[in-house]
Each structure stands twice: as structure tokens, then as C-alpha cells.
């Protein structure tokens, strides 16, 4: 896994976990949306980076992992 993909994975995880502690579904949606928006808007339309579908995929995987951790944390605390 390249550094770039790892950064996408970590970003998706962190975003989904932070927002997921309040509402896991919202955290997942925001995490996936942020990854999608970054790659489509920033990279593809604004030409500020390199658009890669695998970047979106890595962010989505990270967001799913963050959501799972958020759900487990919520259930452990309550």
C-alpha cells in the first residue's frame, strides 16, 4: 500500500470515527462523502491532484473501519 492510499485510509477512518461517535451512519456518510468529494472535486474537476478510483476505495474502507470502531465504542460505553 502506498503512502497516499494509507493517508486516505486513515482520513476515512478518523472522519467516520469522530462523527460516528455521535451517530455511526452519519459518520459513515461523512467519511465516504469527504473521500469522494476530495477526489472528484479537488483532483478531477479542479485539477489540483491526481484522480484515482483506488483513493476513493481506500477512503471508503477506512470509513467502514471507523464506523465499526465507533459502533463498538458506543456499545461498550453504554
Amino acid at each position: 500500500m502506498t503512502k497516499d492510499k494509507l493517508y486516505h485510509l486513515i482520513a476515512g477512518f478518523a472522519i467516520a470515527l469522530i462523527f460516528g461517535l455521535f451517530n455511526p451512519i452519519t459518520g459513515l456518510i461523512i467519511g465516504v462523502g469527504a473521500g469522494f468529494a476530495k477526489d472528484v472535486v479537488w483532483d478531477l474537476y479542479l485539477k489540483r491532484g491526481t484522480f484515482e478510483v483506488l483513493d476513493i476505495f481506500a477512503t471508503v474502507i477506512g470509513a467502514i473501519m471507523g464506523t465499526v470502531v465507533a459502533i463498538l465504542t458506543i456499545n461498550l460505553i453504554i
Side-chain angles (χ1 to χ4, degrees):
M1 178 180 292
T2 64
K3 267 188 179 180
D4 181 52
K5 304 299 180 281
L6 182 61
Y7 292 152
H8 280 272
L9 185 84
I10 292 169
F13 179 86
I15 291 168
L17 178 60
I18 291 168
F19 288 99
L21 290 174
F22 299 101
N23 184 334
I25 299 301
T26 302
L28 179 63
I29 291 169
I30 292 173
V32 170
F36 185 78
K38 188 270 177 196
D39 276 295
V40 171
V41 174
W42 188 258
D43 293 342
L44 189 62
Y45 291 122
L46 296 178
K47 306 284 190 221
R48 302 278 175 121
T50 304
F51 175 78
E52 294 183 46
V53 174
L54 289 178
D55 286 348
I56 296 172
F57 183 71
T59 309
V60 169
I61 296 299
I64 291 169
M65 291 169 39
T67 301
V68 168
V69 171
I71 291 169
L72 291 174
T73 302
I74 289 169
N75 289 329
L76 182 64
I77 291 173
I78 294 177

